[in-house]
Amino acid sequence: MANQKAIVVGAGLGGMSAAIRLKADGYDVTVLEKNENIGGKLNQRSGKGFTFDTGPSILTMPWVLEQLFESVHRDIHDYITIKRAEPQWRTFFEDGKQLDVTGDLPTMLQEMAKVTDRPNSSLTSFLSYSQDMYDLCLKSFYKYSISGLGDLRKHHSFKELMQMDPMKTVAKANQEHLDNKHLEQLFNFLVMYVGSNPYSAPAILNQLAYVQLGLGIHYVEGGMYQIAEAMGKVMEELKIDVHLETSVSHIVTKGEEVTGVATASGTMEADVVVSNLEAIPTYRYLDGTKKGKKEAKQLEKKYEPTVSGLVLLLGTNKKFEQLGHHNFFFSDDPEKEFREIFDKGKPAEDPTVYIGVSSRSDETQAPDGKDNLFVLTHVPPLETKKRKGWDWEAYRKTVIEKLERMGLEGLEDSIDFEYQFAPEDLESLYGANGGSIYGVVADKKSNGGFKVPAQSALYDNLYFAGGSTHPGGGVPMVTLSGQLTADLIKSKQQ
């Protein structure tokens, strides 16, 4: 009997991860990607001797990549070199305070002493709390495709569910543990790894402090795009068919079944379709039926897109010695900043700005004596109804002026090379809902922190992988989503 056929729409990390795992489970797999290269938002751009990762720049939880490669009897370390980055973050506050975040706890205590006179008790209790959250998630969130509270209850006792601190937000729990404005702002911002608002995201996401300080943050030699290339190589070895520059015009359906997909060159049949395009755009644009568009509207009420971003790739003609590999220039008033972005839907007047300088860990990424600055400022997603664009040139000026004010003097005049991505670009390139970077937002009230279920509610054999489905956005999460979605498909076939 011939193998069953699976089509994966989109070659982002979630799609490629699902493809690799489906192949391991015996499917004939075809991946269709509309862009000219694999990787999705994990991409690379270069010019004038500078190289930039244009998407994710921080790798956490490398065990997720190791697990994927092990599932097809391979060792990821044969394909890429993963290095731990220390210090992890260099943080700059508007009041002139500056501290390095590090996984070396004695050093971290010394750094925290710059802003608090009780670093030991703060860090010990908070990290213990954070690790408990992470350990609970290893039993469920990181092991199974969870679609809601019902699924969670299958894997946890009532006592464990209460240990997840369900009544609190990230910010509320941080305030109780840290009681220090600098440390609260720092640890609240970890939740922006998944594009959510710490003042409304559930406290379970405080596990990210342990993920960062305990497990460490990592960098891939040669740039983060090496992760995509390693997955591409494995797909080639497994003889997975990958078609680049191949747009899917629509999913072909018959009743409650998906029978395949249509491209410019014809229809391709499939027993299973996995969409690495976010769930809401999949229903809105690829399904296109009345019930598909209705489902997109229903999902929109519960699952809002995460923040988008204004990305500036800046090659500078000098080095800014005060910068580490990862740098955060914080806003003066974080509550106001998050209120403007999430409640008012406008770019913050005084934003937090992230700068990644990969040449700090890898000299090949910039010419001698120069820096490659990946500058990311989070902004609201584009609204579906209004489609109101912002003046990104004016906002670029806001960002540059803030950085110059906080110590990067002469930044504007030092720029040799520049490339920009705005939310409109992220939406058109990757089909991201409103230009969302991390899929759908984790919100205690609207969705309890859960994502769009990985199995379609409309079609038995349509599934999702990527930032909009469980467990969410970011390199490890989307890679894990592909694996968990493949597990779900396998369980449904039994």
Side-chain angles (χ1 to χ4, degrees):
M1 191 175 110
N3 289 348
Q4 286 201 302
K5 289 192 172 97
I7 289 176
V8 177
V9 181
L13 295 185
M16 292 193 289
S17 176
I20 289 167
R21 273 294 323 284
L22 287 167
K23 184 70 176 186
D25 291 340
Y27 282 85
D28 284 337
V29 184
T30 301
V31 178
L32 306 175
E33 169 56 54
K34 82 178 181 86
N35 291 317
E36 60 192 18
N37 55 359
I38 59 172
K41 292 178 196 136
L42 179 69
N43 215 321
Q44 201 169 50
R45 186 168 283 272
S46 54
K48 292 196 175 177
F50 299 96
T51 304
F52 303 87
D53 285 308
T54 62
S57 56
I58 295 174
L59 174 63
T60 58
M61 294 165 60
W63 66 261
V64 172
L65 294 171
E66 291 167 351
Q67 176 179 278
L68 174 65
F69 279 62
E70 280 163 15
S71 73
V72 286
H73 314 294
R74 283 160 172 80
D75 182 345
I76 186 147
H77 303 288
D78 293 337
Y79 295 79
I80 58 177
T81 302
I82 298 173
K83 301 196 290 196
R84 196 162 168 149
E86 286 287 354
Q88 298 179 344
W89 287 9
R90 181 156 289 162
T91 59
F92 300 82
F93 294 91
E94 280 278 359
D95 63 3
K97 291 270 195 299
Q98 183 186 321
L99 60 93
D100 282 355
V101 178
T102 170
D104 179 68
L105 295 189
T107 309
M108 186 62 191
L109 289 171
Q110 287 173 7
E111 291 293 315
M112 286 171 64
K114 294 174 181 175
V115 294
T116 177
D117 52 9
R118 298 183 62 231
N120 208 340
S121 57
S122 291
L123 188 62
T124 310
S125 75
F126 182 58
L127 270 186
S128 171
Y129 164 80
S130 176
Q131 184 174 358
D132 288 346
M133 296 287 201
Y134 176 77
D135 289 343
L136 286 167
C137 283
L138 282 177
K139 292 176 70 170
S140 57
F141 267 78
Y142 297 148
K143 207 170 178 182
Y144 306 102
S145 190
I146 304 285
S147 61
L149 191 55
D151 281 349
L152 208 55
R153 285 189 179 123
K154 292 176 194 170
H155 307 293
H156 293 284
S157 64
F158 178 73
K159 183 184 174 190
E160 285 179 335
L161 290 173
M162 294 315 290
Q163 283 172 335
M164 292 178 181
D165 221 357
M167 307 312 288
K168 293 193 192 110
T169 62
V170 164
K172 182 69 180 157
N174 280 350
Q175 185 184 25
E176 288 177 10
H177 279 93
L178 300 166
D179 193 25
N180 175 280
K181 71 172 190 176
H182 293 93
L183 298 177
E184 285 174 49
Q185 184 171 18
L186 167 58
F187 286 110
N188 277 347
F189 209 83
L190 292 179
V191 83
M192 287 301 259
Y193 272 144
V194 292
S196 299
N197 180 354
Y199 299 96
S200 57
I204 186 76
L205 288 173
N206 273 321
Q207 65 179 286
L208 292 170
Y210 174 72
V211 166
Q212 173 148 343
L213 294 179
L215 304 181
I217 68 170
H218 302 78
Y219 173 72
V220 180
E221 211 169 81
M224 294 283 282
Y225 191 68
Q226 301 296 316
I227 297 170
E229 295 201 319
M231 285 194 197
K233 200 168 177 193
V234 169
M235 291 196 298
E236 207 176 300
E237 291 166 8
L238 296 173
K239 297 188 167 47
I240 292 171
D241 285 333
V242 180
H243 299 266
L244 299 176
E245 298 183 83
T246 304
S247 289
V248 170
S249 60
H250 62 277
I251 291 167
V252 182
T253 59
K254 187 177 179 183
E256 289 177 3
E257 291 285 319
V258 169
T259 59
V261 302
T263 68
S265 52
T267 300
M268 302 174 77
E269 292 182 357
D271 300 291
V272 169
V273 172
V274 177
S275 178
N276 189 200
L277 179 64
E278 286 177 27
I280 290 169
T282 298
Y283 285 124
R284 193 185 290 137
Y285 303 120
L286 292 192
D287 181 358
T289 63
K290 272 187 185 171
K291 66 178 181 178
K293 289 184 174 171
K294 187 178 173 188
E295 180 70 3
K297 278 186 177 166
Q298 285 296 110
L299 290 172
E300 269 179 335
K301 292 174 189 169
K302 194 173 176 182
Y303 304 102
E304 291 185 9
T306 68
V307 288
S308 186
L310 176 64
V311 176
L312 308 175
L313 307 179
L314 307 178
T316 62
N317 63 17
K318 65 175 184 178
K319 279 193 165 186
F320 291 90
E321 300 294 349
Q322 67 269 55
L323 297 177
H325 186 149
H326 301 293
N327 310 271
F328 284 85
F329 290 80
F330 283 121
S331 63
D332 187 46
D333 183 344
E335 284 195 58
K336 182 186 176 197
E337 176 189 13
F338 283 104
R339 199 162 53 243
E340 286 171 340
I341 296 172
F342 286 93
D343 300 339
K344 296 182 178 174
K346 66 175 193 174
E349 288 172 19
D350 172 33
T352 292
V353 181
Y354 164 76
I355 302 183
V357 195
S358 61
S359 57
R360 287 290 176 277
S361 298
D362 185 350
E363 290 176 357
T364 66
Q365 304 284 290
D368 284 350
K370 299 185 178 185
D371 271 341
N372 64 330
L373 309 185
F374 169 89
V375 182
L376 167 64
T377 310
H378 287 121
V379 298
L382 303 164
E383 292 180 56
T384 312
K385 297 185 188 78
K386 297 177 188 168
R387 311 310 289 163
K388 179 174 64 179
W390 295 92
D391 181 347
W392 297 122
E393 272 311 303
Y395 200 60
R396 173 198 177 279
K397 194 176 170 204
T398 299
V399 172
I400 299 287
E401 282 175 356
K402 176 186 174 76
L403 294 172
E404 291 194 329
R405 186 181 76 244
M406 290 182 75
L408 300 192
E409 290 169 17
L411 173 59
E412 180 71 83
D413 293 338
S414 75
I415 297 168
D416 264 358
F417 172 89
E418 179 166 358
Y419 195 88
Q420 288 183 32
F421 290 95
E424 292 85 351
D425 302 310
L426 294 169
E427 187 176 57
S428 64
L429 281 168
Y430 310 119
N433 191 22
S436 159
I437 294 178
Y438 311 96
V440 299
V441 79
D443 188 288
K444 207 163 82 69
K445 285 182 185 163
S446 65
N447 54 38
F450 295 103
K451 306 297 179 193
V452 181
Q455 184 175 21
S456 165
L458 298 188
Y459 306 107
D460 295 339
N461 56 339
L462 173 64
Y463 294 84
F464 303 104
S468 69
T469 196
H470 181 81
V475 172
M477 300 303 178
V478 295
T479 304
L480 192 54
S481 86
Q483 298 173 61
L484 296 180
T485 295
D487 285 341
L488 182 64
I489 291 167
K490 191 177 183 179
S491 73
K492 299 287 181 184
Q493 302 300 316
Q494 290 168 350

